[in-house]
């Protein structure tokens, strides 16, 4: 009797093992990727000291102690939204935001390191800025709060908040940011060098004077 049923039993066992293996493979394939282990302390060390072994300079050399840049063409990063900072570090490695210096260094960072640096910077206290041009501050205020109706330019505050606090991941904190940096970014959006469908459409309707007025106004927001 065993000799009669043995081949059938073997076939059933082989089929069962094949189904089990396939199901296991599908489960592994469907499983979401593990969440990164974020370590803000490691982010602080990388920001402050860099990594000489890889030729990665300290971020502090351009972005200042605690992310408070004193170089007006380099952004203040302190207190910026964690998700937004991480997204920008990723964008620097793609065609969405190609920039000679940052693209080079962002490509040297692992995904975990990008998360770590962003997690540390969001905990840092940003230094305040100030509007400098009294002749244009009212124009900047008007555009930021109410837009430019005749040009279909929406109020900046509708996305970046009344006080320039922004919205995590989507829209950055603008309050206190250097005028020079903000103007430069608006110009990049306008030319398409920095990719954003929303910002490209808005900046193309604005004059250089209007962009400078807004940049000066937001520098003084708190």
């Amino acid at each position: 009797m065993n000799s009669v049923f043995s081949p059938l039993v073997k076939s059933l066992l082989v089929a069962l093992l094949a189904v089990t293996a396939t199901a296991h493979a599908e489960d592994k394939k469907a499983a979401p990727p593990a969440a990164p282990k974020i370590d803000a302390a490691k982010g602080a060390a990388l920001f402050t000291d860099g990594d000489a072994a890889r030729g990665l300079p300290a971020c502090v050399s351009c972005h200042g102690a605690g992310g408070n840049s004193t170089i007006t063409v380099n952004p203040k990063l302190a207190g910026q939204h964690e998700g937004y900072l991480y997204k920008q570090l990723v964008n620097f490695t793609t065609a969405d935001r190609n920039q000679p210096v940052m693209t080079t260094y962002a490509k040297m960072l692992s995904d975990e390191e990008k998360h770590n640096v962003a997690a540390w910077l969001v905990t840092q206290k940003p230094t305040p800025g100030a509007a400098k041009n009294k002749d244009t501050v009212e124009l900047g205020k008007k555009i930021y709060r109410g837009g430019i109706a005749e040009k279909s330019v929406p109020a900046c505050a509708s996305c970046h908040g009344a006080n320039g606090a922004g919205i995590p991941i989507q829209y950055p904190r603008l309050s206190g940011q250097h005028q020079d940096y903000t103007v430069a970014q608006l110009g990049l959006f306008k030319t398409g060098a920095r990719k954003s469908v929303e910002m490209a459409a808005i900046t193309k309707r604005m004059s250089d004077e209007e962009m400078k007025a807004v940049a000066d106004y937001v520098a003084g927001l708190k």
Side-chain angles (χ1 to χ4, degrees):
M1 186 170 182
N2 287 339
S3 61
V4 175
F5 288 100
S6 184
L8 176 60
V9 172
K10 286 181 180 179
S11 297
L12 288 172
L13 285 173
V14 169
L16 180 61
L17 287 171
V19 170
T20 302
T22 301
H24 182 63
E26 288 299 322
D27 286 343
K28 288 182 68 178
K29 189 186 299 183
K37 295 180 180 178
I38 301 174
D39 190 330
K42 287 183 178 179
L46 194 60
F47 186 93
T48 305
D49 304 321
D51 186 346
R54 286 185 286 167
L56 184 66
C59 312
V60 68
S61 60
C62 289
H63 293 288
N68 282 298
S69 166
T70 57
I71 303 171
T72 62
V73 294
N74 295 335
K76 295 179 183 180
L77 302 178
Q80 187 58 270
H81 303 303
E82 182 177 345
Y84 181 80
L85 286 170
Y86 168 74
K87 182 176 183 295
Q88 295 314 301
L89 286 171
V90 172
N91 284 355
F92 278 124
T93 68
T94 72
D96 286 342
R97 196 173 180 186
N98 193 294
Q99 201 272 349
V101 176
M102 283 305 303
T103 292
T104 298
Y105 298 140
K107 286 182 177 179
M108 296 172 69
L109 296 173
S110 68
D111 191 65
E112 184 176 311
E113 287 171 332
K114 291 181 178 71
H115 276 291
N116 291 345
V117 170
W120 180 70
L121 282 167
V122 72
T123 67
Q124 302 306 293
K125 185 177 180 179
T127 56
K132 297 176 180 179
N133 192 336
K134 62 180 182 180
D135 296 327
T136 65
V137 70
E138 284 303 317
L139 173 61
K141 179 180 179 179
K142 179 182 177 182
I143 295 171
Y144 188 86
R145 295 188 176 185
I148 311 172
E150 63 272 22
K151 292 185 177 181
S152 298
V153 172
C156 312
S158 61
C159 291
H160 295 282
N163 296 318
I167 299 174
I169 301 179
Q170 289 180 291
Y171 305 113
R173 172 194 174 98
L174 298 180
S175 57
Q177 190 57 267
H178 294 306
Q179 286 93 331
D180 290 345
Y181 177 75
T182 302
V183 167
Q185 297 312 299
L186 291 173
L188 291 176
F189 283 127
K190 190 171 187 175
T191 62
R194 182 174 173 183
K195 311 299 181 186
S196 168
V197 174
E198 290 174 287
M199 287 305 301
I202 292 169
T203 52
K204 284 178 181 177
R205 301 179 191 132
M206 296 177 71
S207 68
D208 291 347
E209 291 72 22
E210 288 164 342
M211 290 192 291
K212 288 178 182 178
V214 168
D216 189 54
Y217 176 71
V218 300
L221 288 176
K222 295 176 178 64

